[in-house]
Amino acid sequence: MIKLESLNLILNGEHILKDITLHIKSGEFVLLKGVSGSGKTSLLSIISTLQKPTSGKVLIDEQVVSKLPDLHISNFRLNSVGIVFQDFNLIDYLSVEENILSALIPTKIAKKDAKTKVAKALELANISHKAKANIKDLSGGEKQRVAIARALVNDAKILICDEPTANLDTKNSLQFIKLLKKLNNLGKTIIVATHDSIFEENGNFRVVNVRDGEVINWFC
């Protein structure tokens, strides 16, 4: 379970997140909904341990991750959290396979084991057929699947996506949602920040509304 307790974030004197309490069960599929500037991306950054709160706590499986030293947080994130960024953050001059492999470099895993993990991630993300292709030659939907494969290669139990359909057309957005549902059925906890209504139109997800740095309905 993910627990945010009395969370506040203040940056440059601005109160970005205000006394947020939010509980997310293991295996849930949660949408953080809100307009641009509502604070949902900042909330994702804290849940994913990329940023520390000014006050309050973040607990994941009863561990207070927001209080961990930076090195320990990096190790925790490497093994437990997969992140899919809005702009993909892929390396254009590398192949699909090489991009996914890059996420394993900090683990110092044996080459044979790394190849096995990459192959599994490619299969999960339905992008095995593009393993040798260069990123620059892929469509937006294909790049999104590569980003998911990279996020999953360390068998992360939590998958976090920031505005994942912002750069996709309707067809690719629907394929992406279908893939997320598949991963959720495999037991992954999925947290998506979005203002795209296509999610609610194509699934029964828990919706948490974020407005002006506050969570409006975390309990439902």
Side-chain angles (χ1 to χ4, degrees), residues 4-204:
L4 311 182
E5 304 285 357
S6 302
L7 206 69
N8 287 275
L9 178 65
I10 299 173
L11 296 175
N12 299 319
E14 184 179 357
H15 209 154
I16 307 296
L17 299 176
K18 305 167 186 174
D19 200 32
I20 288 178
T21 294
L22 175 65
H23 297 172
I24 298 172
K25 296 177 183 177
S26 296
E28 267 199 295
F29 195 131
V30 177
L31 302 180
L32 300 180
K33 293 296 295 288
V35 300
S36 296
S38 61
K40 61 185 186 298
T41 296
S42 295
L43 187 55
L44 271 193
S45 295
I46 289 177
I47 295 173
S48 64
T49 71
L50 287 172
Q51 189 165 32
K52 290 186 177 182
T54 305
S55 63
K57 294 188 296 186
V58 180
L59 296 91
I60 299 180
D61 293 336
E62 303 303 326
Q63 182 177 13
V64 185
V65 295
S66 54
K67 302 295 184 182
L68 291 174
D70 289 344
L71 178 59
H72 290 187
I73 285 181
S74 295
N75 289 334
F76 174 85
R77 185 168 56 249
L78 179 65
N79 294 303
S80 300
V81 181
I83 304 170
V84 178
F85 298 95
Q86 180 177 341
D87 57 358
F88 311 134
N89 280 14
L90 300 172
I91 304 171
D92 283 346
Y93 60 83
L94 295 181
S95 70
V96 167
E97 200 171 45
E98 290 167 337
N99 265 273
I100 298 167
L101 190 60
S102 69
L104 291 172
I105 292 174
T107 67
K108 299 179 180 179
I109 190 173
K111 187 175 181 179
K112 180 181 178 181
D113 294 335
K115 284 188 174 182
T116 300
K117 280 180 171 285
V118 169
K120 181 181 177 182
L122 284 166
E123 184 178 354
L124 272 176
N126 299 327
I127 197 68
S128 298
H129 61 293
K130 292 288 186 177
K132 302 299 183 182
N134 279 349
I135 294 298
K136 61 183 176 61
D137 297 324
L138 301 183
S139 68
E142 289 167 341
K143 288 179 181 179
Q144 190 68 282
R145 292 201 293 278
V146 175
I148 288 180
R150 185 184 57 189
L152 294 172
V153 73
N154 281 316
D155 198 26
K157 57 189 175 182
I158 301 168
L159 184 63
I160 289 176
C161 307
D162 185 16
E163 297 287 1
T165 58
N167 298 313
L168 302 182
D169 60 20
T170 300
K171 179 182 176 181
N172 281 307
S173 294
L174 291 172
Q175 289 177 345
F176 177 75
I177 292 169
K178 182 179 179 180
L179 176 56
L180 289 187
K181 287 179 179 178
K182 170 187 169 183
L183 296 172
N184 185 234
N185 288 334
L186 291 173
K188 305 292 185 186
T189 301
I190 312 288
I191 306 171
V192 177
T194 184
H195 61 265
D196 194 341
S197 61
I198 197 169
F199 279 91
E200 291 161 283
E201 292 166 359
N202 291 278
N204 184 25

